[in-house]
Amino acid sequence: MFDLEETVMGIIINAGQSRSLCYEALRCAKQGQFSEADDLLKQATEAANAAHAVQTKLIEADQGTGEIAVTLVLVHAQDHLMTSMLAKELVVELIDIYRRQAA
């Protein structure tokens, strides 16, 4: 099957990368570097998609049977994924504001 801890780390690593890229994009937007911000958001989306793919793999493996153990590290990974998704949504909105102010 798969190593649960290693698989869960895929969520944590990719979600963390996505969140970091979002905040880097926001810093670029603050400086008026919108092309760079857009590139970073694209990278953030790719990292978020990778994290989501790992989550989907876990859901498919469990198939609603409860066979996947809900460990503290799994809950931690889900927290990372959700906060990175929220960060991306907010950063996209903030960058839009900076973009409109610069126009």
Side-chain angles (χ1 to χ4, degrees):
M1 195 157 153
F2 58 87
D3 181 292
L4 181 60
E5 188 172 320
E6 184 178 314
T7 303
V8 168
M9 289 305 294
I11 296 173
I12 293 169
I13 291 165
N14 286 299
Q17 179 70 8
S18 178
R19 188 176 56 249
S20 294
L21 288 163
C22 285
Y23 285 112
E24 190 175 338
L26 182 58
R27 283 190 292 280
C28 285
K30 283 180 174 181
Q31 298 170 359
Q33 301 168 337
F34 297 108
S35 178
E36 292 87 346
D38 291 340
D39 289 342
L40 289 163
L41 285 176
K42 182 179 177 188
Q43 293 175 46
T45 298
E46 291 168 2
N49 289 344
H52 190 260
V54 174
Q55 180 191 47
T56 300
K57 177 182 173 182
L58 289 171
I59 291 169
E60 289 172 350
D62 187 65
Q63 297 180 354
T65 62
E67 292 180 27
I68 301 292
V70 179
T71 63
L72 185 56
V73 73
L74 179 56
V75 172
H76 180 65
Q78 288 298 118
D79 285 345
H80 269 281
L81 183 55
M82 294 306 298
T83 57
S84 70
M85 291 169 66
L86 177 60
K88 184 170 182 282
E89 291 171 3
L90 291 172
V91 165
V92 166
E93 292 299 321
L94 289 169
I95 289 174
D96 184 53
I97 292 169
Y98 281 115
R99 197 182 312 265
R100 283 189 274 141
Q101 287 180 341

